[in-house]
Amino acid sequence: MTVLTGPPRTFSVSEVAVDSGVAPSAVRFYDTHGVINAVRTAGNQRRFDSSAACRIQVAKLAQRAGLSVREIAALFADLSADPTPDEWADVARRLVTEVEERVRDLKAQLAAMESGTRLCEIGRDDPAR
Amino acid sequence: MTVLTGPPRTFSVSEVAVDSGVAPSAVRFYDTHGVINAVRTAGNQRRFDSSAACRIQVAKLAQRAGLSVREIAALFADLSADPTPDEWADVARRLVTEVEERVRDLKAQLAAMESGTRLCEIGRDDPAR
DNA sequence: GTGCAGGTTCAACATATGTTGAAGTCAAGT
DNA sequence: ACTTGACTTCAACATATGTTGAACCTGCAC
């Protein structure tokens, strides 16, 4: 069911900027690159739903964890306006899967370094010295 | 103690490139930016120790996990030539601490999204509607 | 309906992370 | 000593991620 709720509030670029903690120019950038989605007023101004600031907050943290804006936009692509917790859960699952894989790969390489077994130096074949 | 070992082998740019799986231009780039350290021959050519390829392999994975080249160079700064497993362990500890923090931050934000509690929309104070 | 804070686009700039090409030098085998 | 492939630096290019400024347009409060 859908709870009765007034006409959904919209947000201007600078409102989303404040709510998400990035510069207005960055909000426009994320719109251009599909991280958030704007509708336009009759006068061509962007209006965002309330999920825009949330998306940007997640996107910034995902970037810090190694994902590109393009990758993040792709992950957000099947998120509706004002996404449900379920939709977020689905995005979260894929996002976490991806970053954990990257961390796993890094850890595995580091473990090889620590083991001192020269696993990474396969190329350096010593026998001929 | 130090095990008896011959004069340590050195590697050219293209050897390190092959051993680490990146382009020669990237090897020079990583040298310029302090991820690896070259000594120079009498004729000004770079020569690397056997750890160079390892460092690059770790660096590439660290980049995928969100660290910048500058950050990686800083972490590698107190790594000696041909680092011991202990030195790698120390670098690994700091590296993993950093990436896990980033993943933790991302997960925390995602958990807030999934909870549907509008934690991220603090800015959107509803009372006036 | 006027004023003006804030919106629009576009181009230029800035930084990070490399790649490519030119012009010249080195090293290693013969 | 020559040759030749690999090395050097430097500048230009390329892509990603934004920021800034100019020139112009909107929305809203008065």
Side-chain angles (χ1 to χ4, degrees), chain A residues 37-95:
Chain A
N37 300 115
V39 295
R40 299 290 183 136
T41 66
N44 197 37
Q45 297 195 353
R46 291 171 180 85
R47 290 296 180 266
F48 300 96
D49 59 80
S50 62
S51 83
C54 309
R55 287 175 181 233
I56 291 178
Q57 285 175 30
V58 171
K60 290 308 285 181
L61 294 171
Q63 280 183 276
R64 260 183 78 75
L67 277 79
S68 68
V69 165
R70 184 180 299 276
E71 288 168 330
I72 293 163
L75 277 170
F76 283 3
D78 25 327
L79 218 45
S80 67
D82 209 349
T84 64
D86 271 6
E87 285 180 293
W88 273 118
D90 202 55
V91 167
R93 184 181 48 70
R94 287 185 291 164
L95 224 172

Side-chain angles (χ1 to χ4, degrees), chain A residues 106-126:
Chain A
L106 174 60
K107 282 180 173 173
Q109 184 68 42
L110 288 169
M113 301 295 91
E114 288 182 59
S115 78
T117 49
R118 299 294 182 264
L119 282 181
C120 99
E121 293 160 32
I122 307 284
R124 186 212 60 158
D125 40 305
D126 226 357

Side-chain angles (χ1 to χ4, degrees), chain B residues 24 27-28 43-45 77 90 94 101 105 111 113 122 128:
Chain B
V27 173
R28 296 194 184 91
N44 197 36
Q45 296 194 357
D90 204 54
R94 288 185 292 164
E101 185 189 326
D105 291 348
M113 300 296 91
I122 306 285

Side-chain angles (χ1 to χ4, degrees), chain A residues 119-125, chain B residues 9 11-28 30 36 48-50 52-57 60:
Chain A
L119 282 181
C120 99
E121 293 160 32
I122 307 284
R124 186 212 60 158
D125 40 305
Chain B
R9 221 205 112 166
F11 298 81
S12 69
V13 165
S14 61
E15 284 171 328
V16 171
V18 168
D19 290 358
S20 63
V22 305
S25 62
V27 173
R28 296 194 184 91
Y30 287 133
I36 55 180
F48 299 95
D49 60 79
S50 63
C54 310
R55 287 175 179 233
I56 292 177
Q57 285 174 31
K60 290 307 286 182

Side-chain angles (χ1 to χ4, degrees), chain B residues 57-111:
Chain B
Q57 285 174 31
V58 171
K60 290 307 286 182
L61 295 170
Q63 280 183 275
R64 261 181 78 75
L67 277 78
S68 69
V69 165
R70 184 180 300 276
E71 288 168 330
I72 293 162
L75 277 171
F76 283 3
D78 25 326
L79 218 46
S80 66
D82 211 349
T84 63
D86 272 6
E87 287 180 293
W88 272 116
D90 204 54
V91 167
R93 186 180 47 71
R94 288 185 292 164
L95 224 173
V96 168
T97 297
E98 179 61 34
V99 306
E100 302 230 292
E101 185 189 326
R102 296 182 186 199
V103 173
R104 238 191 350 269
D105 291 348
L106 174 60
K107 283 180 173 173
Q109 184 68 43
L110 288 169

